[in-house]
Amino acid sequence: MLRSVRATMTALSFLTLFGGLHPALAQDRRVPASPAEVMLSYAPIVQRVQPAVVNVYAAKVVRDHNPLLDDPIFRRFFGVPGQQPEQMQRSLGSGVMVDPSGLVVTNVHVIEGADEVKVSLSDKREFEAEIVLKDPRSDLAVLRLKGAHERFPTLDFANSDELQVGDVVLAMGNPFGVGQTVTHGIISALARTQVGITDYQFFIQTDAAINPGNSGGALVDMTGKLAGINTAIFSRSGGSQGIGFAIPANMVRVVVASAKSGGKAVKRPWLGAKLQAVTPEIAESLGLRLPTGALVANVVANSPAARAGLKPSDLIVAIDSHEVEDPNAFDYHFATRPLGGTAQINVLRAGKTIKLTVALETAPDTGRDEIVLTTRSPFQGAKVANISPAVADELHLDSDTAGVVITDLADGGTAASVGFQKGDIIVAVNNQKIARTADLEKAARESARVWRITLVRGGQQINVTLGG
């Protein structure tokens, strides 16, 4: 089974050990030709990369919850104080320095909910860090060292689209907290899309040993460049079994660029079309030899897709010379294109290949009106927003969806405890139609002995009745 244990590493192309650093050309890839070549060492790469790989420590205060302590009679007769005991919960991960000013990239799951984050460098110095940006869609976060007044060693990004299965890579991080550790292996597979970890399903698979604590660490190629950030392992035991997954460097580059620009959220291109996978049955109906590509289910009016001429039933087979095997592959390549330019998309329409030019622009986000509901009600602790094109894109909702959606839930809030989920669309409360966040805020202020709520989850309408 796939564990939630995650790890990050940097992929480095092989350094010419004597005589400078030169990226290996595709035609230079070969197996060792003599025993002397087998004895070559990765030490020069490790020495160059090691200073830029850091340890990340996150801590948050949690309160042990004993339901008996909620009962004032129990506290009165047994003399138990009303304040429940607090504990410090700690998590350990890794990170990579990506800017000399002290910017570190790691995984969101390493620092999620942390009240305090610290970064330990390879020279044993420790810095407090602030969270600059979190991008749950990619499971990447960017930290900044506090009180740092020096230039730090960094890793450059590799072009992860140029990686090939069989390339040698090194993984570096802090597994099990034993200290900075290097493992090596090869790229076992590319474009893994059925991992189920983040919104962007397009991972590098490697057999380099990755274990708990490697999350956020570096996967490097043989030129000493960052090929990816390790984020997960497939394991039945909790330890490495030779199947690890890394977020490609080209996705990491996008998130880091957003952090450097001062953004609080990552801005990505918006297509404005819903895509679906091609099943064998669909492939047969379309006369395709193989079930590959991304089938256009619908197109939003006035979106970049509509203006480019994309139509329902078009089959997207390539984007900017990259083959598209499924919607996940398209989403990744489209999301890593730079804003402001264009992307060339090849589609099959009525048996003919057509080239379309799509503008790379963000989804409109006007009228989001995002608020957090704080009044006592079943919605207490829920963050809700009006569904704009940007919100629909973030939460993978149908483009024509309207209404109010839950975008986040506070830990320990009433909304989370009664079972609301991120992405739930609130349709009505006590027979009052909910069209805007202001409607839900007003409904949440009204006291009620019984709450009758209608919501939509995963396309299915659900009626819920809760006590007041």
Side-chain angles (χ1 to χ4, degrees):
M1 61 179 288
L2 180 66
R3 301 265 179 160
S4 58
V5 178
R6 304 181 180 189
T8 306
M9 27 187 194
T10 323
L12 300 172
S13 309
F14 186 63
L15 291 175
T16 303
L17 299 181
F18 307 102
L21 308 176
H22 301 289
L25 300 177
Q27 59 266 33
D28 293 334
R29 289 186 171 100
R30 58 186 176 83
V31 297
S34 67
E37 290 187 355
V38 175
M39 296 175 64
L40 294 175
S41 172
Y42 298 117
I45 301 173
V46 174
Q47 291 166 7
R48 178 183 172 188
V49 171
Q50 193 172 35
V53 180
V54 302
N55 300 333
V56 177
Y57 303 92
K60 66 177 178 179
V61 176
V62 294
R63 184 170 293 169
D64 289 339
H65 180 70
N66 186 333
L68 291 175
L69 298 182
D70 293 333
D71 186 345
I73 297 178
F74 181 90
R75 295 200 301 268
R76 176 182 174 187
F77 281 96
F78 291 92
V80 181
Q83 184 67 29
Q84 299 186 22
E86 293 182 343
Q87 290 186 348
M88 186 66 76
Q89 188 178 84
R90 303 181 186 276
S91 63
L92 170 68
S94 304
V96 179
M97 196 77 70
V98 290
D99 188 84
S101 65
L103 282 184
V104 173
V105 66
T106 186
N107 286 138
V108 167
H109 72 264
V110 170
I111 51 87
E112 187 65 63
D115 298 308
E116 181 183 67
V117 179
K118 291 186 178 181
V119 171
S120 176
L121 307 186
S122 61
D123 61 10
K124 309 301 182 184
R125 287 185 297 163
E126 194 171 89
F127 292 84
E128 290 188 2
E130 61 178 333
I131 300 172
V132 178
L133 182 150
K134 291 195 301 183
D135 184 45
R137 301 186 70 183
S138 64
D139 192 28
L140 291 171
V142 179
L143 315 175
R144 178 180 287 112
L145 304 188
K146 294 182 179 179
H149 304 288
E150 61 184 278
R151 306 287 286 178
F152 295 95
T154 65
L155 291 187
D156 294 329
F157 293 105
N159 182 353
S160 52
D161 288 343
E162 295 180 352
L163 297 174
Q164 295 184 23
V165 174
D167 283 353
V168 176
V169 288
L170 303 180
M172 191 174 295
N174 185 10
F176 297 109
V178 300
Q180 196 170 91
T181 301
V182 181
T183 57
H184 94 286
I186 63 170
I187 293 177
S188 306
L190 295 166
R192 286 298 195 208
T193 60
Q194 303 300 317
V195 181
I197 303 169
T198 66
D199 284 359
Y200 294 104
Q201 297 289 310
F202 201 82
F203 293 93
I204 300 167
Q205 181 182 328
T206 180
D207 66 348
I210 301 171
N211 286 289
N214 275 115
S215 291
L219 181 71
V220 297
D221 65 17
M222 294 296 98
T223 62
K225 292 183 178 179
L226 184 66
I229 294 292
N230 295 329
T231 191
I233 60 174
F234 186 94
S235 175
R236 299 185 185 278
S237 64
S240 174
Q241 293 186 330
I243 303 178
F245 301 98
I247 302 166
N250 287 359
M251 179 61 76
V252 182
R253 190 198 311 267
V254 170
V255 175
V256 172
S258 292
K260 287 182 177 180
S261 68
K264 294 300 181 182
V266 179
K267 294 187 179 298
R268 296 183 172 95
W270 173 57
L271 179 63
K274 183 178 181 180
L275 308 179
Q276 68 180 79
V278 178
T279 63
E281 293 76 18
I282 292 175
E284 184 178 358
S285 68
L286 295 175
L288 301 176
R289 188 172 63 88
L290 298 173
T292 63
L295 188 65
V296 179
N298 60 54
V299 178
V300 180
N302 300 318
S303 66
R307 296 197 302 272
L310 199 65
K311 297 179 180 181
S313 298
D314 281 349
L315 182 67
I316 301 176
V317 295
I319 171 173
D320 288 342
S321 75
H322 298 290
E323 291 186 6
V324 172
E325 294 191 358
D326 55 30
N328 288 317
F330 177 86
D331 288 345
Y332 167 79
H333 286 297
F334 194 71
T336 53
R337 301 275 83 80
L339 288 167
T342 60
Q344 302 300 313
I345 296 177
N346 292 2
V347 303
L348 285 179
R349 180 185 298 169
K352 296 181 179 179
T353 301
I354 300 173
K355 296 182 182 294
L356 302 177
T357 301
V358 180
L360 299 171
E361 56 190 53
T362 58
D365 199 20
T366 55
R368 177 190 286 247
D369 295 335
E370 197 167 36
I371 59 173
V372 176
L373 300 172
T374 58
T375 54
R376 182 177 178 181
S377 73
F379 303 101
Q380 185 269 329
K383 181 183 286 187
V384 296
N386 298 326
I387 303 177
S388 65
V391 172
D393 185 53
E394 291 169 12
L395 299 178
H396 302 289
L397 305 175
D398 287 342
S399 53
D400 57 354
T401 305
V404 175
V405 64
I406 296 176
T407 59
D408 201 5
L409 293 162
D411 291 338
T414 304
S417 64
V418 300
F420 285 113
Q421 297 179 13
K422 182 178 178 179
D424 284 349
I425 301 168
I426 309 302
V427 176
V429 176
N430 290 338
N431 297 320
Q432 299 179 42
K433 182 180 178 181
I434 304 299
R436 311 286 296 175
T437 56
D439 298 335
L440 184 55
E441 187 175 33
K442 179 181 177 182
R445 287 200 187 104
E446 298 176 2
S447 59
R449 296 181 62 183
V450 176
W451 294 84
R452 294 181 175 85
I453 302 165
T454 303
L455 59 90
V456 174
R457 177 183 297 169
Q460 301 296 316
Q461 182 168 302
I462 302 173
N463 296 311
V464 180
T465 301
L466 300 171

